[in-house]
Amino acid sequence: MTANIIDGAAIAAELRGEVAETVRRLGENHGIKPGLAVVLVGNDPASEVYVRTKAKQTVAAGMASFEHRLPADTSEKELLALVRQLNADPRVDGILVQLPLPPQINAGKVIEAIDPAKDVDGFHPENVGRLAVGSGGIVPCTPLGCLLLLRHVRADLTGLDAVVVGRSAIVGKPMAHLLLDENCTVTTAHSRTRDLPALCRRADILVAAVGRPEMIRGDWIKPGAIVIDVGINRLPPASGDASGKGRLVGDVAFDEAREVAGAITPVPGGVGPMTIACLLSNTVEAAKRRLAGPGPKG
Ligand code: GUN
């Protein structure tokens, strides 16, 4: 059997189209234009690429994009002041502070300063807590994108055994909550898990989010499983590779896994494009909620 390849690029393009349509209607019916502010401190090259792509796709969806680039030696106080300014700015519906931040800045403090209603990353403790209790907060973009891909393969995930490999606050933990809400039986595995291959072999849904190139092998996968690969790892350039950049690979050994799995995301072109599409979707949802006014808090 060869797995179906889950076309994240196409599914993300579809979602961006839906977002653009919602933006158009908000403009036409209510005269509002959702806005996303992205803050980048320093000039980490990977972060630069993300921020540029985010800005481009925000504008392409018809939304306003506000970019704030601050020098690497920005103080925590200065960044907190900018966050407060964005919290108060009525043109801004979503705020994203690109991580990682330089060492002199406490990222947790910055995240807690963001208005939870504008926290389109879903990293603020209020949104984390709302996801844990299952009550309508903003959900982090990458796990949300993974869930949409899973739903694309199978509309009803009820009763399936799901294994999430990785326990980060950005992906693993929120992913586990989302799968629980889909009525999966969820196990979160990590670096101290005993006999990880055997555990993975029981998974109908396997989500890999560890950041270790091709760690998950073909013989760890249950025949017919749905495999979602969140990893984006750049291998050292092969000798004779003229580009000098090295291949991008996921956390799953793709060529082996596709012989066993029922469906699998490629890297690149799987989860990656969904993350930014979900960011746009979270921003337009935040704008819609603001338009509806403050609802009951509970
Ligand atoms: N850096 C890498 N991924 C992310 C993300 O999803 N959000 C933010 N804010 N920073 C990141």
Side-chain angles (χ1 to χ4, degrees):
M1 183 170 68
T2 309
N4 290 319
I5 308 298
I6 304 169
D7 189 348
I11 299 166
E14 204 177 299
L15 177 56
R16 291 199 303 273
E18 288 167 20
V19 169
E21 174 56 23
T22 307
V23 170
R24 197 191 58 73
R25 274 191 286 113
L26 284 173
E28 198 171 281
N29 301 335
H30 304 281
I32 66 164
K33 186 182 179 104
L36 172 65
V38 174
V39 181
L40 175 61
V41 184
N43 39 23
D44 172 62
S47 293
E48 294 258 6
V49 175
Y50 291 140
V51 167
R52 246 196 330 269
T53 312
K54 282 167 192 163
K56 216 166 80 185
Q57 295 191 0
T58 302
V59 171
M63 299 196 270
S65 169
F66 306 95
E67 247 181 88
H68 294 266
R69 289 166 177 271
L70 307 179
D73 62 356
T74 299
S75 71
E76 186 177 282
K77 203 168 151 213
E78 286 169 312
L79 182 55
L80 288 171
L82 173 59
V83 167
R84 287 192 200 103
Q85 180 196 319
L86 296 171
N87 282 344
D89 188 335
R91 299 168 305 164
V92 173
D93 296 286
I95 302 170
L96 180 147
V97 179
Q98 185 70 29
L99 303 176
L101 288 167
Q104 75 274 16
I105 298 176
N106 179 335
K109 221 163 143 183
V110 174
I111 288 166
E112 289 197 35
I114 298 173
D115 177 350
K118 295 190 176 189
D119 166 41
V120 285
D121 259 329
F123 294 168
H124 189 285
E126 180 174 320
N127 286 314
V128 176
R130 283 183 181 276
L131 178 59
V133 293
S135 74
I138 301 177
V139 176
C141 306
T142 299
L144 180 58
C146 293
L147 179 64
L148 297 180
L149 293 178
L150 283 167
R151 286 218 197 106
H152 220 264
V153 177
R154 215 175 139 144
D156 185 4
L157 308 175
T158 297
L160 297 181
D161 283 325
V163 171
V164 179
V165 189
R167 56 175 153 182
S168 71
I170 295 182
V171 184
K173 285 177 186 166
M175 187 79 242
H177 282 304
L178 287 172
L179 290 166
L180 261 181
D181 289 345
E182 297 291 311
N183 304 312
C184 293
T185 302
V186 184
T187 307
T188 304
H190 45 78
S191 53
R192 307 288 178 88
T193 294
R194 281 181 290 169
D195 202 353
L196 182 61
L199 179 70
C200 290
R201 258 177 237 125
R202 293 190 356 222
D204 304 304
I205 293 171
L206 184 61
V207 179
V210 272
R212 295 185 51 181
E214 301 179 320
M215 183 182 90
I216 291 171
R217 312 307 309 187
D219 64 358
W220 298 21
I221 290 166
K222 179 174 176 174
I226 310 173
V227 179
I228 304 290
D229 191 351
V230 182
I232 301 178
N233 311 288
R234 198 174 283 285
L235 294 180
S239 58
D241 178 352
S243 78
K245 277 183 86 176
R247 217 159 44 89
L248 272 188
V249 300
D251 294 343
V252 178
F254 182 81
D255 289 339
E256 295 174 15
R258 71 180 302 185
E259 299 300 322
V260 190
I264 185 169
T265 58
V267 176
V271 174
M274 291 301 288
T275 296
I276 299 184
C278 287
L279 175 67
L280 303 182
S281 172
N282 278 352
T283 304
V284 85
E285 287 302 314
K288 273 163 62 180
R289 245 174 275 176
R290 194 152 61 100
L291 184 67
K297 264 263 175 187

